[in-house]
């Protein structure tokens, strides 16, 4: 308990020290068009809005960043009793560099670089994309009626499958995630993609394709079929009055390749948020993605339904997701369920508390033993400013069924407390 109290105090002191920094530039969200603010104002924003108050006068470049630091106090165990001992300490901080450029009226560019992450010590580009909301660069007013409801997005970056990726932590950008870990089956990948989004009167439609590959290469061999992945989304999002908002979307992802499309739940190169959990003593290879589950299906099809409801301070977000592979690949299937209930309060809803329940259940092939993993998160947070968040959570994840007697996950469990301090601007 003394270690925990000391760690929480150290984390808060570190956060306070960092918040003394000042940023000498105008807010990018006040100047960029059709943009999701990279701070508290971006919470519960999904697709970028089709309204903007900004006008274009010249090319402008905005530099932003994300910083996150955790104090972790987690224990783990399994039936083999062969896991490393975990103590209570501060994790290596993570950082993002964000560059957003308004290139023309209704045309902007986004680029994110991971300066420090769990999985990579070196800095490297996560991805980037161009977003087009107007075609005035072709001719003033060109297809103005169509583009008033349409957004075109191209690049090598995360693509818009499901709604959960809008609430996840993206390395150091953790300000949109009310908890510390992402979901067990974390639908997120960075691939070469193009998509069209239409938003009108609350109705949402997305259609897009990717090349199905996280790692890009022009080399073709016997195992390269280079088949594209198709995805889409249909939904409805309506603010009925000042206090009530409801959103419901359904998304799908389809790939018939045997060497492409396998990254949907394994495309995050940054690593999971919980450090050193389920790591074996004298392990030859450390898995930086523990805590998540990736079926690695080939010839994959996936669907995800996401209800969202906000009534005054109460907020609910859910996931019902099914992923399966083809008959040729074994007819495996997994189902993910998640429910997240929050209550936000304070004059600016700067405080919140809540809980998330998450489970994954299924099998790798038809007739195989079912696998089941569950996780519970309970916690809360405080937005000290729009850009500064501190949050505390309790997590308990159990590997309940389907793991062989000699697997490190047999009887596996990790549980404990995390404190996370974050800055995004």
């Amino acid at each position: 308990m003394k270690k925990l109290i000391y760690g929480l105090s150290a984390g808060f002191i570190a956060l306070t020290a960092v918040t003394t920094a000042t940023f000498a530039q105008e807010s990018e969200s006040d100047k960029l068009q059709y943009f999701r603010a990279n701070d508290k104002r971006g919470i519960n924003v999904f697709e970028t809005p089709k309204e903007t108050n900004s006008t274009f006068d010249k090319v402008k470049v905005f530099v932003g960043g994300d910083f996150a630091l955790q104090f972790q106090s987690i224990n783990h165990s399994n039936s083999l009793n062969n896991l490393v001992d975990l103590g209570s300490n501060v994790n290596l901080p993570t950082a993002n560099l964000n560059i957003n450029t308004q290139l023309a009226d209704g045309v902007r560019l986004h680029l994110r670089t991971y300066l420090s992450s769990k999985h990579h010590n070196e800095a490297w580009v996560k991805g980037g994309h161009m977003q087009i909301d107007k075609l005035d660069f072709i001719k003033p007013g060109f297809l103005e009626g169509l583009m008033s409801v349409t957004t075109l997005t191209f690049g090598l970056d995360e693509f818009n499958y499901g709604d959960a990726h809008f609430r996840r932590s993206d390395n150091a950008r953790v300000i949109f995630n009310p908890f510390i870990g992402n979901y067990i089956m974390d639908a997120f990948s960075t691939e070469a993609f193009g998509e069209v989004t239409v938003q009108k009167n609350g109705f949402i439609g997305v259609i897009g394709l990717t090349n199905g590959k996280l790692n890009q290469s022009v080399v073709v061999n016997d195992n390269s079929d280079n088949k594209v992945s198709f995805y889409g989304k249909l939904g409805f999002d309506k603010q009925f009055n000042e206090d009530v908002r409801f959103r419901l979307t359904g998304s799908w992802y389809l790939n018939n390749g045997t060497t492409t499309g396998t990254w949907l739940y394994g495309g995050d190169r940054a690593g999971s948020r919980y450090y050193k959990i389920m790591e074996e003593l004298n392990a030859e290879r450390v898995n930086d993605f523990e805590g998540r589950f990736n079926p690695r299906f080939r010839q994959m099809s996936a669907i995800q339904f996401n209800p969202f409801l906000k009534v005054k301070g109460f907020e609910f977000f859910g996931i019902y997701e099914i992923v399966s592979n083809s008959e040729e690949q074994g007819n495996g299937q997994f189902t993910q369920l998640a429910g997240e209930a929050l209550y936000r309060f304070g004059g600016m809803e700067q405080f919140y508390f809540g809980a998330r329940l998450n489970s994954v259940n299924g099998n790798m092939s038809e007739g195989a033993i079912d696998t089941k993993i569950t996780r519970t998160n309970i916690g809360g947070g405080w937005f000290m400013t729009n850009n500064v968040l501190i949050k505390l959570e309790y997590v308990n994840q159990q590997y309940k069924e389907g793991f062989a007697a000699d697997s490190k996950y047999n009887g596996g469990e990790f549980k404990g407390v995390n404190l996370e301090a974050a800055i995004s601007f």
Side-chain angles (χ1 to χ4, degrees):
M1 180 59 70
K2 289 182 178 180
K3 287 184 178 180
L4 175 59
I5 295 174
Y6 173 79
L8 296 177
S9 301
F12 185 80
I13 291 171
L15 171 65
T16 305
V18 175
T19 58
T20 60
T22 59
F23 309 108
Q25 73 166 22
E26 295 177 280
S27 171
E28 59 185 2
S29 61
D30 295 332
K31 294 297 181 180
L32 287 168
Q33 298 176 323
Y34 312 103
F35 180 73
R36 181 191 189 188
N38 195 44
D39 55 33
K40 179 176 176 288
R41 292 170 295 174
I43 289 176
N44 296 332
V45 176
F46 296 87
E47 289 77 21
T48 54
K50 283 302 297 181
E51 297 81 24
T52 181
N53 295 322
S54 300
T55 58
F56 177 81
D57 53 2
K58 62 181 180 179
V59 174
K60 293 183 179 179
V61 179
F62 296 87
V63 178
D66 305 287
F67 306 95
L69 173 68
Q70 307 85 34
F71 172 81
Q72 177 175 299
S73 183
I74 288 179
N75 295 315
H76 59 181
S77 60
N78 66 2
S79 298
L80 298 176
N81 195 28
N82 66 341
L83 302 179
V84 299
D85 290 331
L86 294 180
S88 302
N89 206 347
V90 174
N91 291 323
L92 179 71
T94 53
N96 298 345
L97 172 66
N98 306 316
I99 298 177
N100 292 288
T101 305
Q102 193 71 49
L103 297 171
D105 192 12
V107 181
R108 65 174 180 82
L109 176 71
H110 167 78
L111 180 71
R112 173 163 293 157
T113 298
Y114 291 161
L115 298 177
S116 172
S117 67
K118 177 183 178 182
H119 189 55
H120 283 273
N121 293 324
E122 72 279 9
W124 51 281
V125 176
K126 170 234 177 175
H129 65 266
M130 178 180 288
Q131 179 174 311
I132 301 174
D133 287 276
K134 291 183 179 181
L135 296 176
D136 288 10
F137 59 89
I138 298 176
K139 178 183 176 181
F142 185 72
L143 296 180
E144 184 177 6
L146 176 64
M147 295 306 296
S148 67
V149 297
T150 303
T151 300
L152 309 176
T153 312
F154 308 93
L156 202 161
D157 208 339
E158 67 181 272
F159 51 91
N160 190 7
Y161 163 78
D163 284 352
H165 72 102
F166 292 113
R167 298 173 70 89
R168 71 185 298 279
S169 296
D170 185 11
N171 193 39
R173 192 215 63 192
V174 304
I175 203 160
F176 301 143
N177 186 349
F179 300 97
I180 294 175
N182 293 325
Y183 295 94
I184 298 173
M185 279 204 321
D186 186 19
F188 170 89
S189 185
T190 54
E191 301 172 7
F193 78 101
E195 68 185 35
V196 179
T197 304
V198 177
Q199 302 178 74
K200 184 175 182 180
N201 298 329
F203 291 95
I204 305 159
V206 178
I207 189 72
L209 60 84
T210 86
N211 70 347
K213 293 185 176 183
L214 179 70
N215 301 310
Q216 307 302 321
S217 175
V218 297
V219 175
V220 178
N221 54 44
D222 292 340
N223 294 319
S224 298
D225 51 20
N226 290 331
K227 293 186 178 180
V228 299
S229 299
F230 297 92
Y231 64 96
K233 177 186 293 187
L234 291 174
F236 178 77
D237 189 339
K238 184 71 171 179
Q239 186 81 44
F240 290 96
N241 54 49
E242 184 178 352
D243 296 328
V244 180
R245 177 185 174 190
F246 176 72
R247 175 183 170 100
L248 177 64
T249 64
S251 303
W252 68 91
Y253 177 94
L254 177 65
N255 184 277
N256 290 317
T258 58
T259 64
T260 58
T262 64
W263 299 100
L264 183 60
Y265 303 101
D268 180 13
R269 303 176 195 260
S272 63
R273 184 53 75 203
Y274 304 116
Y275 285 63
K276 298 298 182 179
I277 57 169
M278 305 308 294
E279 182 177 322
E280 294 177 283
L281 290 164
N282 304 315
E284 295 182 1
R285 183 176 180 272
V286 176
N287 183 0
D288 287 332
F289 304 93
E290 290 289 5
R292 300 177 184 170
F293 177 76
N294 180 12
R296 293 288 188 197
F297 281 158
R298 300 182 177 188
Q299 296 181 329
M300 176 197 299
S301 61
I303 57 172
Q304 184 180 130
F305 295 97
N306 301 113
F308 172 77
L309 175 66
K310 184 165 174 52
V311 180
K312 294 188 176 180
F314 173 78
E315 182 177 309
F316 174 82
F317 177 78
I319 298 176
Y320 176 73
E321 185 169 25
I322 299 175
V323 57
S324 58
N325 59 6
S326 66
E327 183 177 355
E328 292 80 4
Q329 297 292 326
N331 269 343
Q333 180 174 293
F334 285 91
T335 300
Q336 173 166 238
L337 299 174
E340 186 176 289
L342 302 175
Y343 185 71
R344 301 184 186 272
F345 60 101
M348 302 293 292
E349 291 193 348
Q350 68 270 34
F351 304 103
Y352 69 86
F353 65 86
R356 175 196 290 166
L357 303 178
N358 188 191
S359 69
V360 171
N361 183 62
N363 50 58
M364 295 298 296
S365 60
E366 189 173 21
I369 298 175
D370 277 0
T371 297
K372 186 174 184 179
I373 306 171
T374 64
R375 182 192 293 170
T376 301
N377 301 85
I378 302 172
W382 171 31
F383 280 92
M384 299 170 62
T385 73
N386 276 349
N387 303 92
V388 182
L389 169 65
I390 184 167
K391 49 186 171 178
L392 177 69
E393 76 159 22
Y394 168 80
V395 60
N396 184 346
Q397 180 159 318
Q398 298 178 325
Y399 298 82
K400 290 194 169 183
E401 299 174 7
F403 299 100
D406 59 351
S407 168
K408 68 176 181 179
Y409 301 113
N410 185 280
E413 179 183 31
F414 66 86
K415 59 183 177 180
V417 175
N418 270 342
L419 172 74
E420 185 167 62
I423 299 174
S424 288
F425 61 95

